[in-house]
Amino acid sequence: WALERLEEMRVGTSKAKFSELEPTLIPLITDPSRDVRRNTARLLASLWEVNVAKHLLDQLNVETDDVVRREILVALREACYASLTTPGPKLPEEIRAGTLTWAVKFLDDADPEKARVGAEVIGKLLEPNGLKPEDVDGYLKHLADRYARLNPANDVALRVDLLNAMAGLCSSESKCRDLAAKHFGGLFEQALAEKADPVRLIAIDGLFNASGDKPGAIRRLWKTLGSDSLLAIRLKLIDLAGDAGGAQELDGLAEKLGIAGESDASWQAILKIFRRSPSALLAEWAAKIKSPPIAGRLTPEQQISFFDMVRQRAQTETRPELLREAQTNLADLYVVAGR
């Protein structure tokens, strides 16, 4: 009951200082009751101010209950990550090393849930700096090898979990991004061709993250999956085009205008590209936006949003002819929209 009450205080508005409870909480990690040990680990996973990492690792090394082991490993993951990414005292490096050793054991376990937790721990603790390149390389190889051993037909959920961890290690926030991209790039490519929708979906993130040429990656993905049967995949590609695409993506996005489920997302992606493009491109597209077939796929309000952007850009860059064109089109559109 007391542990449950502490958890309520943590997520509520209480200003209790859990660091003051450290002498009380630490012994509970080794309590004879399995449930007490499990609930203590769960609570400690969210309490950065309680310095218990060493005690958690010591207990993990002797713990016999699988459920409690998992909760302790998750708590260590959070404690190590907080130490590595936030100001304040740092944990000894052997704590992260010990936690990663256990993560590899979990990753190699036949139990999919344990393997998932192991992958999450490795993914999170390799992201910050501090490990030797050869050590990082070993952990990345463990992830790739574990993935390669899975059955594409029967292990879809775990394959998605491992791909997700690998995609995170290839993200811009990861300090081992380049090395991870070398290990996992080929796996992402293979996963794009699989039948399982969740696998293809996460493989898109992985391939995009691993690529040093984001626009090039978008064009490759668009060519491969732009007409995929899964709407979620098509929408993800549209979002990526909006976030990192350029002028070359505009025609493909414009073709999706007017298509149910994709039109609004495509228009927002187009606007994102226009916002970071030179005014010459906006001037070129002004004629396309007000002419068939694109004009027929857009509402007057959508066209207004475009020409208002053109107007603002023309004012900022002192382009009087473009400004007059934008103002003329806006005036006509306001009439049509009943403004």
Side-chain angles (χ1 to χ4, degrees):
W1 175 88
L3 288 172
E4 293 176 355
R5 176 60 181 144
L6 285 173
E7 175 64 10
E8 291 173 1
M9 293 168 64
R10 182 188 70 80
V11 300
T13 58
S14 171
K15 301 300 181 180
K17 293 183 179 180
F18 288 99
S19 57
E20 297 175 357
L21 300 176
E22 185 173 326
T24 302
L25 289 173
I26 288 177
L28 297 180
I29 299 171
T30 59
D31 192 270
S33 169
R34 166 186 179 271
D35 291 341
V36 170
R37 297 196 306 276
R38 180 196 63 205
N39 292 337
T40 300
R42 286 178 179 173
L43 180 61
L44 293 174
S46 57
L47 302 181
W48 316 131
E49 66 266 43
V50 181
N51 184 19
V52 293
K54 183 180 184 305
H55 301 281
L56 286 168
L57 185 57
D58 288 344
Q59 181 60 28
L60 183 56
N61 288 332
V62 299
E63 182 59 59
T64 58
D65 185 275
D66 280 346
V67 175
V68 177
R69 276 181 179 168
R70 183 187 66 201
E71 297 297 341
I72 292 176
L73 183 58
V74 170
L76 278 166
R77 177 194 71 194
E78 298 306 310
C80 290
Y81 188 77
S83 171
L84 292 163
T85 59
T86 58
K90 302 302 178 185
L91 292 175
E93 187 53 42
E94 54 263 29
I95 299 294
R96 175 160 64 160
T99 302
L100 283 166
T101 296
W102 272 101
V104 170
K105 293 179 182 178
F106 269 58
L107 177 67
D108 288 337
D109 198 281
D111 180 0
E113 175 60 18
K114 292 178 72 174
R116 179 191 66 80
V117 171
E120 286 183 350
V121 173
I122 291 172
K124 200 159 189 176
L125 297 194
L126 293 192
E127 183 183 300
N129 268 326
L131 290 174
K132 296 178 181 178
E134 57 268 29
D135 292 336
V136 173
D137 190 73
Y139 294 122
L140 296 176
K141 188 175 185 302
H142 268 294
L143 271 174
D145 289 347
R146 183 68 172 94
Y147 179 84
R149 296 199 303 269
L150 295 175
N151 186 320
N154 301 328
D155 298 317
V156 172
L158 182 54
R159 296 177 82 237
V160 169
D161 291 331
L162 297 191
L163 285 169
N164 188 52
M166 291 188 274
L169 287 168
C170 293
S171 70
S172 58
E173 291 78 19
S174 173
K175 304 303 181 185
C176 63
R177 179 191 172 280
D178 292 343
L179 195 55
K182 292 179 181 178
H183 275 277
F184 306 143
L187 298 178
F188 297 138
E189 290 273 10
Q190 295 170 18
L192 289 176
E194 295 203 9
K195 294 182 179 179
D197 293 339
V199 171
R200 296 202 313 283
L201 196 59
I202 192 63
I204 292 172
D205 288 330
L207 188 65
F208 181 78
N209 289 351
S211 176
D213 176 14
K214 302 302 186 189
I218 291 170
R219 286 187 278 277
R220 287 166 54 204
L221 288 166
W222 197 278
K223 183 177 180 180
T224 305
L225 298 172
S227 299
D228 194 271
S229 59
L230 187 67
L231 176 60
I233 285 180
R234 302 197 302 274
L235 289 176
K236 181 179 283 289
L237 296 185
I238 290 170
D239 287 342
L240 289 178
D243 291 339
Q248 294 184 58
E249 280 61 66
L250 290 172
D251 285 332
L253 289 168
E255 290 178 1
K256 291 184 175 291
L257 295 173
I259 296 178
E262 299 177 69
S263 185
D264 289 343
S266 296
W267 179 242
Q268 292 305 315
I270 288 171
L271 291 179
K272 285 183 179 179
I273 293 174
F274 281 145
R275 289 188 187 105
R276 58 177 179 267
S277 298
S279 57
L281 183 67
L282 273 68
E284 175 187 337
W285 271 79
K288 296 182 180 181
I289 293 293
K290 64 182 182 180
S291 302
I294 295 179
R297 302 172 186 164
L298 295 173
T299 67
E301 293 296 338
Q302 288 173 323
Q303 294 183 56
I304 287 171
S305 65
F306 169 76
F307 283 108
D308 192 51
M309 181 193 305
V310 175
R311 178 188 61 78
Q312 294 178 40
R313 184 73 66 83
Q315 286 179 328
T316 301
E317 299 181 10
T318 317
R319 296 193 57 176
E321 291 184 6
L322 184 59
L323 177 59
R324 282 195 296 273
E325 181 182 3
Q327 290 173 331
T328 299
N329 282 294
L330 283 170
D332 293 340
L333 288 165
Y334 287 150
V335 172
V336 175
R339 289 194 182 187

